[in-house]
Amino acid sequence: MTASSVKCAIREVAKDVWTFSCPFSRFNLFPVGGRSTAIKLSNGDVWVLASTPLDDATKAKLGELGPVKWLIGADAVHHLFLGEFKKAYPDAKIVAVDEAIKKQAKAGLKADGAWGADPPNTKYGFEEDIQHCYFSGFKNKDVAFFHPASKTMIAADLIFNLPATEQYSMTGSSGKLPVFGQLNPYTWAHKKFASAMGVDTEAMKRDVKTVAGWDFNRIIPCHGDVIENDGRKAWMEAYKSYLG
């Protein structure tokens, strides 16, 4: 997936919160979609969960929002475009999970913060606007984020909401998921996934509870449509096996 080959749907889902929803197929078979999220912080800086190509439209919108100061790698596999973003925004700080940083080190990319390597309560500088919870017990080492001002939770692989209708909306394809049809927090398959991805049950219980304590209504996943309402309810349903 290159910047010249994709067409992303760009929209403001809440005040100062923008999504960049792009087509992406896992193994070229499963249309799960991809999404970057940008948040304009209260000081005017822009925080970006960078998970899709930096195409011209994305770059133009980010330029309108303000100076990009934070580039986020949300888990061990959502790191492919960090180098592309860093090249365009050399003054931005990269904060990513340690596994992602190690994978990008071969390309010479250096990070300014590493979940999983830094002390658990490390503050990176954007916490006045965005809270974070590192899931050390999740296989992909995901980080969940919470933007209280918009009551929005943002995640990479912790939550899916397929089919990826919005992410395929600029392509002419429906983005329909073969076999399953859908994969959302209320389905048996998603609950099974959440359970299977947990590699440390006690750590999962701790971190699932932390996110459950956030006051969010919306969930922005990297894969599938934005959950516009009842996001906390969806979270509780997807991870209820860790909340019992």
Side-chain angles (χ1 to χ4, degrees):
M1 185 164 66
T2 64
S4 62
S5 66
V6 301
K7 291 185 177 180
C8 301
I10 301 173
R11 71 180 177 106
E12 186 174 23
V13 300
K15 185 178 183 298
D16 295 329
V17 180
W18 289 79
T19 55
F20 304 81
S21 304
C22 311
F24 173 72
S25 293
R26 185 71 169 166
F27 308 120
N28 289 319
L29 292 173
F30 301 102
V32 296
R35 177 176 290 110
S36 291
T37 299
I39 298 178
K40 185 171 184 177
L41 306 180
S42 55
N43 66 358
D45 292 344
V46 178
W47 177 100
V48 183
L49 192 162
S51 186
T52 51
L54 184 61
D55 63 3
D56 291 340
T58 298
K59 193 171 183 179
K61 177 52 66 178
L62 291 176
E64 293 174 10
L65 297 181
V68 174
K69 294 297 185 181
W70 300 99
L71 299 174
I72 305 300
D75 71 8
V77 295
H78 287 76
H79 60 80
L80 299 179
F81 302 103
L82 284 174
E84 185 178 338
F85 274 78
K86 180 63 174 179
K87 184 177 180 180
Y89 308 105
D91 294 332
K93 293 183 177 180
I94 293 178
V95 183
V97 301
D98 192 42
E99 285 80 356
I101 294 167
K102 289 176 179 175
K103 291 175 181 177
Q104 286 292 320
K106 296 177 182 179
L109 196 65
K110 296 181 179 180
D112 301 279
W115 285 289
D118 297 335
N121 296 319
T122 297
K123 304 295 184 184
Y124 297 106
F126 51 78
E127 287 78 9
E128 185 175 328
D129 295 274
I130 300 171
Q131 299 173 29
H132 46 89
C133 179
Y134 171 63
F135 279 69
S136 62
F138 193 76
K139 186 176 181 180
N140 282 359
K141 306 301 181 185
D142 278 58
V143 183
F145 303 94
F146 175 45
H147 182 237
S150 64
K151 290 193 172 185
T152 299
M153 193 270 270
I154 306 162
D157 288 340
L158 288 166
I159 286 283
F160 288 74
N161 189 34
L162 302 172
T165 307
E166 181 176 20
Q167 289 158 325
Y168 278 83
S169 63
M170 305 290 286
T171 68
S173 169
S174 67
K176 185 178 179 181
L177 191 69
V179 184
F180 291 103
Q182 61 180 358
L183 180 66
N184 65 59
Y186 298 95
T187 60
W188 173 88
H190 197 300
K191 295 171 188 178
K192 185 68 175 177
F193 165 82
S195 178
M197 292 294 281
V199 295
D200 182 332
T201 300
E202 292 307 309
M204 286 295 293
K205 288 180 178 178
R206 177 196 65 213
D207 298 329
V208 166
K209 184 177 179 180
T210 293
V211 173
W214 292 343
D215 182 23
F216 60 95
N217 186 50
R218 178 186 298 102
I219 297 178
I220 300 177
C222 278
H223 306 296
D225 288 347
V226 173
I227 300 174
E228 301 285 0
N229 294 292
D230 295 324
R232 186 174 176 275
K233 179 182 176 182
W235 175 260
M236 301 286 280
E237 185 66 24
Y239 285 91
K240 66 181 181 181
S241 63
Y242 294 106
L243 291 167

